[in-house]
Structure formats: structure tokens, C-alpha cells
Amino acid sequence: GSSETEPTSRRELAQTHKMSSASTAASASAASVAAEGVHEESKTLRVYKLLIEYKQLAHIAPRGVYVLPSFDDMFLWHGVIFVRRGHYGGGIFKFRYQLPPTYPSIGSRPSVVFTSRVYHPLVHPDSGELELHNAFPNWDPTQHFNVSVLTFIKKIFYLKDVDLVGYPDDRCFDPLAKRLCLDDKPEFRRRCQELVARSQETVYDDNKGGGGGWSSSSSSSGPLAFSRPQPAHEALRKTLAGLSGGSLT
């Protein structure tokens, strides 16, 4: 009796072990699928929040600053700022605005890289990156928003000496530009205006840094483009000016 029972018991144990292993594997697979589902849901929610925030920019973005998302990446925006006065008056500077995939979580500070050349203490002379750490050292989604960064982008073109003096040297991406701004204003303005003129000359170039800007490694296509004026545009401008009873500039 015992000789027949022992093999049977071993077979039952082996079968039980297989069933247990299969159950464990099925549980792990289900957990993995559930985790992927949560991840996708979380990503979808982040994109949805970003879309809402982007829509609000139409009403609250600083004047003269415009951004458009890439065709193939909602977290990469292409922007341009029109500077009206000051050292950079007349400048049309393009930039790339990159949001981390974890935005808008804590620590998900965006990054800004100018694709038009800009001579500025807070802009890296080689890459075009804008220094944002000092302004947003600890990104908090309850206090910081994309409009906060866009407002800062505009602010840097109107910085006063008192603002620059208080800026830490290790946070200036171009220390030479800082010294020149504080000690030799005419030369600083000359360099700024030189790149203002270049920005105007290259405004019709694509937004990947060509035509006098910094080169870009980004392959994402962008919707931000300017078309050259046509005779029909001037005729339309004069018509609108006549209807408004004034001039349009």
C-alpha cells in the first residue's frame, strides 16, 4: 500500500507546485497589466491637465510671447517673443520650451532653449539655454505654472541693473555679458542690437536654429513659422487701417 501511495503523493505535490507557479505567474502578469494601465491613465491625465493649462494661456500669457505645441509632442512647445523696447527692442527671438514627461508633478521644471541667438547674462552663449534654476529652484505645481516661466522669459529682456547685481554669479550662464552690462552699457547694447538685427533677418527661417541661430538636436516638427510679406498683405493692412480710422503697425 505504501509503495503505491508514495509515487501518487509525489505526483500530487508536483502538480500542486505547477499550479502554484502558474497562479503566481498569472498574478504577476495581472499586476503588470494593472500597473501599465495606471501608468497610461496617469499619463493621459497629465496630458489633459496640460491641455487645460495651455488653453488658459490664450487669456493670461504675457503680451508679445507666443507658444505652439509640436505636431508630434504635446510636451515640446515652440515659442517666440517680440521685444518692444530697451536694449533688445525690435528683437524677434524664437525658443524651444520643453516640459518633462512628469509635468505637472513636483520638481518638473520646464527648460527653455533659445534657437535665435541672444546676448544675455542668463542665456548660455554656446547652447542658448536659459537659466531657470534661480527663479524656480523647487518647482511646485501649486505655485508655479507655464505662465510663470513665460512671464520670466519676457522679464529677462527688461532686467534692471539692480536685478542683475543681486543675481548669483554661479547662476549667470554668461558672466562676461553680466560684467559688460554693469560696466560698459554702450558695448553691451551694441552686442544686443547686433543680434536683434540678426533675429529680424532670420525670422523667416525654420525653427530648428538655422540662419544665424543656435543649432538644434530636436527632430520634432514645429508649427511656428513666419511667411514673407506679400503685396496682398499690405493692401489688407491699408484696408483695415482705413476701417479702424487709424494706422496699423
Side-chain angles (χ1 to χ4, degrees):
S2 61
S3 60
E4 294 179 359
T5 304
E6 186 174 346
T8 301
S9 298
R10 284 200 297 270
R11 285 195 298 271
E12 290 175 347
L13 286 172
Q15 186 64 25
T16 301
H17 177 71
K18 288 180 180 178
M19 292 175 64
S20 176
S21 298
S23 177
T24 301
S27 298
S29 177
S32 176
V33 170
E36 289 179 4
V38 171
H39 174 73
E40 287 302 317
E41 182 179 357
S42 176
K43 181 180 179 181
T44 301
L45 184 60
R46 288 197 298 271
V47 171
Y48 181 69
K49 289 180 178 178
L50 183 56
L51 284 170
I52 293 176
E53 190 176 353
Y54 178 78
K55 185 176 181 180
Q56 292 173 337
L57 287 176
H59 308 287
I60 62 176
R63 186 178 180 183
V65 183
Y66 304 90
V67 287
L68 288 172
S70 294
F71 292 125
D72 51 3
D73 185 357
M74 184 60 198
F75 288 83
L76 175 61
W77 297 355
H78 299 272
V80 62
I81 176 170
F82 296 85
V83 186
R84 304 297 183 186
R85 54 185 174 79
H87 299 311
Y88 302 91
I92 308 172
F93 302 113
K94 300 176 186 178
F95 58 89
R96 289 198 320 276
Y97 190 97
Q98 182 71 63
L99 291 141
T102 55
Y103 186 89
S105 62
I106 294 176
S108 59
R109 180 178 62 241
S111 64
V112 174
V113 175
F114 283 97
T115 54
S116 301
R117 284 199 169 272
V118 180
Y119 188 71
H120 195 285
L122 303 185
V123 177
H124 199 286
D126 296 325
S127 67
E129 181 182 359
L130 174 62
E131 205 291 308
L132 291 173
H133 185 275
N134 194 70
F136 308 99
N138 301 298
W139 185 268
D140 183 346
T142 65
Q143 300 180 27
H144 305 136
F145 305 92
N146 286 304
V147 68
S148 310
V149 180
L150 296 179
T151 299
F152 181 75
I153 292 175
K154 181 173 182 176
K155 179 182 177 182
I156 72 163
F157 291 102
Y158 301 98
L159 281 181
K160 298 178 181 179
D161 287 357
V162 63
D163 300 319
L164 208 51
V165 168
Y167 223 90
D169 287 342
D170 61 346
R171 294 298 178 192
C172 284
F173 279 173
D174 193 340
L176 176 60
K178 176 184 176 181
R179 290 196 295 272
L180 209 58
C181 179
L182 296 175
D183 301 333
D184 191 347
K185 199 73 70 179
E187 175 60 17
F188 178 78
R189 180 178 177 82
R190 185 193 69 77
R191 296 193 184 191
C192 292
Q193 283 294 305
E194 183 178 276
L195 294 184
V196 164
R198 185 181 298 185
S199 76
Q200 296 171 348
E201 294 168 359
T202 60
V203 69
Y204 302 112
D205 296 338
D206 64 38
N207 51 316
K208 290 188 177 182
W214 281 284
S215 62
S216 167
S217 59
S218 173
S219 59
S220 295
S221 57
L224 187 64
F226 295 86
S227 59
R228 296 182 180 277
Q230 302 295 326
H233 297 160
E234 178 61 18
L236 179 60
R237 188 191 71 80
K238 291 181 178 178
T239 300
L240 292 174
L243 292 174
S244 65
S247 62
L248 296 176
T249 56

